[in-house]
Amino acid sequence: MSIIGSIKGAVARKLFSGICLTDSLGLWSIAGIYDTTGAKIQDYHLKRLRNIVSYANGATPFWHRVFSSAGIDARTLTLKLFEQIPVLTKEHLKHATDEILANDLSRHNVTMIMTSGSSGVPLKIYADDVFLKKRIQVHRHYLQKVLKLRSANGFASFRKRQHTRVLGHYVDWATNDLAAAADWIAKNAQAACGSLFNLMNFARRLNKSNLKLNLDFVVSCAEFLSETDRKYLEKTFNCPVYDQYTNAEVGLIAFECSRRCGFHVNTANILVEIVDKYGVSVQKGKIGRILVTAFDNKIMPLIRYDTADLGQWMDGTCSCGLKTPRLIFEGRASNVLKLPNDREYYLEYFIGPMNRSFVDVIEKLQFFQKSRELLVLRIIPTAKYKDEHGVAMRKLLISLLVRARAVDDSGAFDIRIEKVDIIENFPSGKARLFVSAL
């Protein structure tokens, strides 16, 4: 979900037009943090962690109980001891909401944020104005300082499914007069930012009407951006398209720079960990679950929160000049095939080869695992699709599994191609890449 889109409209407008957009000191402070490495960034993170742990211990029954049980004392906390704190899951947020909320809510302006539920568990997240302002501020830093947005408000925000907002003006791109809407955006916006779902809908409407936009850049967020979708958007908007890793719970987690080589972690507002199934940090190059700790949400402290996403750390520094650590986003932890002999395979590994080989013959796809022995690939074919494409798809996917030693070629596991007319999205509009009957 986009940073602005995850916040209630009236609150977002109030915050988005406030001090957080013009506070150059805040933007340059974020830049300073992004340039900090080694012991200094560890000291910064430890100070922020001690602060939120101390507050959560005194203000929430849930965290007081967890810290007492784990023997955690904010005053003596180290980064190593921090890893001993049990992982906070989406199930905790769903079933223990009242205990995780701070007991002094009356002192804050509280905003409720709904998650999309794409991980399988829709949640209510509560936040105060300070937390929301800092979320938007770090997003603004990304647009202005990293991607070089010239004007503080010079971008089209695709928050809604049928209109966009530029300089406080709402443009209804679902109208029949699409040419006029596109012309207004072209004259007033330098860039565009929004969920992939909304950006793709707008791009498809433009293409059907033989219309184009010339923007400086587009930022996609909220769901997996495939190379196929990236190229489609780049062709439509005549500019580079960058990806963000965000969620409704904490905002901007990581982002692509101009080099588009991995995701730079937002080290200013959050701590990111990549851990194994026991909550222990994994080595670089190993895939693990992504945990985040938000430094500023005192209404609902999210500490070692399991995003249900998978990722791995990258080596080295980026040639763009940013010194922040980088990660590779591997997709949802729920998007994992369960194979015979208790083997697993990350579904996102299929996407690149599929895009490279079949971009012109597939309009949309979805994987459906019927059993450990059978995977169904549902596709909405384009007019260029022929039956031999289905045969080639099955052969490609089986070969990828065999090459990764996830299955053997004995025939114990099979893939079936199924042409369909409709593939349902999540209620939020996000594409539903994987469905499992297991």
Side-chain angles (χ1 to χ4, degrees):
M1 181 173 289
S2 67
I3 303 297
I4 309 305
S6 67
I7 301 172
K8 293 294 185 180
V11 177
R13 287 192 293 275
K14 177 179 70 174
L15 296 174
F16 215 56
S17 60
I19 189 171
C20 57
L21 301 188
T22 57
D23 183 4
S24 59
L25 177 61
L27 296 183
W28 286 114
S29 297
I30 294 169
I33 295 169
Y34 286 173
D35 281 336
T36 303
T37 59
K40 289 186 177 180
I41 194 65
Q42 290 181 351
D43 289 344
Y44 168 76
H45 283 160
L46 183 56
K47 180 179 179 181
R48 301 302 307 274
L49 291 175
R50 284 177 174 173
N51 183 275
I52 192 64
V53 166
S54 176
Y55 181 86
N57 183 58
T60 70
F62 176 87
W63 285 117
H64 180 76
R65 184 170 62 251
V66 168
F67 295 150
S68 297
S69 177
I72 298 296
D73 185 338
R75 295 168 297 181
T76 58
L77 186 68
T78 64
L79 293 177
K80 195 66 178 176
L81 287 173
F82 181 75
E83 293 187 4
Q84 296 181 14
I85 297 174
V87 172
L88 179 70
T89 68
K90 294 179 184 291
E91 290 299 320
H92 286 134
L93 292 188
K94 185 175 182 180
H95 299 296
T97 304
D98 292 342
E99 287 198 321
I100 298 173
L101 285 171
N103 52 27
D104 58 348
L105 291 183
S106 60
R107 294 171 51 193
H108 305 270
N109 292 323
V110 180
T111 297
M112 189 271 285
I113 304 168
M114 283 293 297
T115 69
S116 66
S118 58
S119 64
V121 185
L123 302 168
K124 294 179 181 179
I125 304 298
Y126 296 87
D128 63 15
D129 283 359
V130 172
F131 179 50
L132 297 180
K133 282 182 179 180
K134 289 187 176 182
R135 284 173 57 157
I136 294 175
Q137 189 177 51
V138 80
H139 178 62
R140 274 296 188 180
H141 175 272
Y142 171 58
L143 294 176
Q144 291 180 245
K145 302 301 181 183
V146 178
L147 297 183
K148 309 304 181 184
L149 181 74
R150 293 189 299 272
S151 169
N153 291 298
F155 74 96
S157 176
F158 283 79
R159 293 197 299 115
K160 301 295 184 182
R161 298 188 187 186
Q162 294 185 320
H163 66 253
T164 185
R165 184 169 181 260
V166 187
L167 299 171
H169 179 80
Y170 283 95
V171 181
D172 184 0
W173 48 266
T175 180
N176 290 330
D177 195 1
L178 183 64
D183 182 63
W184 201 95
I185 293 172
K187 290 178 179 178
N188 292 276
Q190 173 193 350
C193 178
S195 71
L196 176 62
F197 178 79
N198 289 344
L199 291 171
M200 288 295 292
N201 273 353
F202 183 50
R204 290 188 183 107
R205 291 209 65 207
L206 289 175
N207 282 319
K208 285 181 180 179
S209 300
N210 293 317
L211 296 170
K212 298 289 182 183
L213 279 178
N214 291 294
L215 299 174
D216 286 2
F217 63 84
V218 169
V219 177
S220 172
C221 57
E223 53 189 300
F224 177 75
L225 176 65
S226 69
E227 284 306 305
T228 301
D229 290 340
R230 191 196 295 266
K231 290 177 181 177
Y232 185 86
L233 292 175
E234 288 182 339
K235 186 176 180 180
T236 302
F237 296 121
N238 294 299
C239 67
V241 174
Y242 302 106
D243 200 6
Q244 280 186 338
Y245 173 29
T246 66
N247 67 18
E249 294 92 317
V250 301
L252 180 60
I253 298 173
F255 52 85
E256 283 187 327
C257 67
S258 59
R259 302 295 191 272
R260 295 189 291 192
C261 183
F263 287 84
H264 290 269
V265 172
N266 166 25
T267 51
N269 289 11
I270 59 174
L271 177 74
V272 173
E273 302 172 79
I274 301 181
V275 303
D276 61 19
K277 61 182 179 181
Y278 303 108
V280 178
S281 294
V282 300
Q283 296 178 343
K284 286 186 178 180
K286 298 289 185 181
I287 295 175
R289 299 177 74 93
I290 298 175
L291 309 184
V292 293
T293 298
F295 297 143
D296 299 298
N297 191 7
K298 293 187 175 181
I299 291 295
M300 190 179 208
L302 300 179
I303 299 170
R304 303 204 80 208
Y305 173 64
D306 189 345
T307 62
D309 295 327
L310 298 168
Q312 60 176 301
W313 292 116
M314 295 181 66
D315 277 321
T317 57
C318 184
S319 59
C320 75
L322 285 175
K323 298 178 182 178
T324 56
R326 290 174 297 156
L327 61 82
I328 299 172
F329 178 65
E330 299 287 358
R332 284 282 179 189
S334 56
N335 291 350
V336 177
L337 294 179
K338 305 293 184 181
L339 302 170
N341 301 318
D342 292 325
R343 295 176 181 175
E344 296 181 342
Y345 188 82
Y346 297 115
L347 205 65
E348 274 75 9
Y349 291 168
F350 281 155
I351 302 303
M354 286 290 293
N355 286 337
R356 288 190 291 272
S357 302
F358 304 107
V359 62
D360 294 328
V361 298
I362 298 178
E363 179 73 27
K364 190 175 182 180
L365 62 80
Q366 182 185 77
F367 294 93
F368 171 48
Q369 183 162 20
K370 297 195 72 172
S371 69
R372 282 188 176 270
E373 292 74 33
L374 179 61
L375 176 68
V376 177
L377 172 59
R378 296 166 172 164
I379 63 167
I380 298 177
T382 68
K384 296 181 179 180
Y385 179 86
K386 297 180 180 179
D387 289 342
E388 52 261 37
H389 289 124
V391 175
M393 288 176 198
R394 178 185 175 280
K395 183 178 180 180
L396 171 65
L397 297 178
I398 290 290
S399 69
L400 290 171
L401 290 171
V402 172
R403 195 181 310 158
R405 298 183 180 178
V407 299
D408 55 35
D409 55 4
S410 66
F413 182 83
D414 197 14
I415 295 176
R416 188 170 71 213
I417 311 300
E418 184 178 290
K419 292 185 291 184
V420 297
D421 296 323
I422 298 174
I423 293 177
E424 297 290 343
N425 291 333
F426 285 105
S428 64
K430 287 186 180 182
R432 193 167 188 174
L433 179 65
F434 182 55
V435 178
S436 177
L438 298 182

